[in-house]
């Protein structure tokens, strides 16, 4: 058995393969209220308060991977939302759906604003120059194919 009980384990481990450190805990099993990642890429155990590029799913007592475009997430992705809180580098955040997209993935009916954020164009626009409303749609192209700034559904 590779469990060494004569060395003090890192604080997150109940059993370890060797003395661990902040980067490599070397845990075999975790202490109470510490959990491994579902993909177990390393031998670390984390408290559920730890913010990782994983999220804590209480029903399984494990950290599971966020949607691939998320750096940090609020939980499991579902029904049209990636549930991201922060995007990975090179991705753009849609605050309405909590999703992150690359430039290639962004539909033409979105516009960029405020750094790495994107937002849907006004409802009647196929493409737009930015924010639109009932009084000024700000469309480049209407859903019906017309090229004008005011479009009607």
């Amino acid at each position: 058995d590779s469990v060494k009980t004569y060395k003090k384990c890192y604080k997150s481990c109940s059993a370890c393969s060797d003395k661990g450190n902040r980067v490599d805990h070397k845990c075999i099993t975790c202490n109470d209220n510490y959990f491994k990642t579902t993909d177990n890429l390393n031998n670390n155990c984390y408290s559920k308060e730890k913010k990782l590029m994983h999220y804590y799913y209480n029903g399984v007592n494990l950290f599971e991977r966020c949607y691939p475009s998320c750096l940090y997430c609020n939980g499991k992705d579902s029904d049209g939302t990636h549930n991201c809180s922060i995007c990975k580098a090179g991705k753009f955040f849609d605050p309405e759906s909590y999703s992150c997209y690359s430039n290639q993935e962004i539909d033409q009916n979105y516009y960029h604003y405020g750094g790495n954020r994107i937002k849907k164009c006004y409802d009647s626009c196929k493409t737009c120059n930015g924010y639109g409303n009932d009084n000024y749609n700000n469309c480049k192209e209407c859903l019906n194919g017309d090229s004008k700034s005011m479009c009607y559904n």
Side-chain angles (χ1 to χ4, degrees), residues 52-54 66-73 84-89 100:
L52 298 171
M53 286 186 262
H54 298 277
C66 294
Y67 191 82
S69 62
C70 305
L71 183 60
Y72 294 96
C73 62
C84 301
S85 55
I86 298 175
C87 298
K88 286 184 177 176
C100 297

Side-chain angles (χ1 to χ4, degrees), residues 67-71 82-107 110-120:
Y67 191 82
S69 62
C70 305
L71 183 60
H82 302 164
N83 215 352
C84 301
S85 55
I86 298 175
C87 298
K88 286 184 177 176
K91 302 290 183 179
F92 298 91
F93 184 65
D94 175 8
E96 290 181 20
S97 68
Y98 293 95
S99 298
C100 297
Y101 301 101
S102 68
N103 254 337
Q104 296 81 9
E105 297 171 307
I106 298 171
D107 289 339
Y110 278 85
Y111 63 93
H112 291 268
Y113 77 99
N116 74 332
R117 292 177 173 265
I118 55 171
K119 200 168 199 174
K120 277 196 177 199

Side-chain angles (χ1 to χ4, degrees), residues 7-77:
K7 288 188 176 184
K8 184 171 169 75
C9 292
Y10 188 72
K11 66 182 179 182
S12 63
C13 309
S14 59
C16 57
S17 60
D18 203 348
K19 183 178 178 182
N21 58 47
R22 195 168 50 93
V23 177
D24 184 4
H25 302 180
K26 298 189 186 299
C27 298
I28 294 172
T29 57
C30 301
N31 273 326
D32 289 344
N33 298 315
Y34 285 86
F35 308 99
K36 289 188 173 260
T37 59
T38 53
D39 48 17
N40 204 18
L41 292 176
N42 57 38
N43 292 313
N44 294 350
C45 297
Y46 304 99
S47 73
K48 61 184 175 182
E49 288 78 29
K50 179 77 175 165
K51 294 290 182 194
L52 298 171
M53 286 186 262
H54 298 277
Y55 70 92
Y56 178 72
Y57 177 63
N58 194 21
V60 187
N61 289 336
L62 291 169
F63 282 91
E64 292 188 38
R65 277 214 176 273
C66 294
Y67 191 82
S69 62
C70 305
L71 183 60
Y72 294 96
C73 62
N74 299 314
K76 186 168 180 59
D77 57 295

Side-chain angles (χ1 to χ4, degrees), residues 111 119-122 128-134 136-139:
Y111 63 93
K119 200 168 199 174
K120 277 196 177 199
C121 296
Y122 187 73
C128 65
N129 296 308
Y131 174 77
N133 57 37
D134 287 340
Y136 182 67
N137 303 160
N138 205 5
C139 300

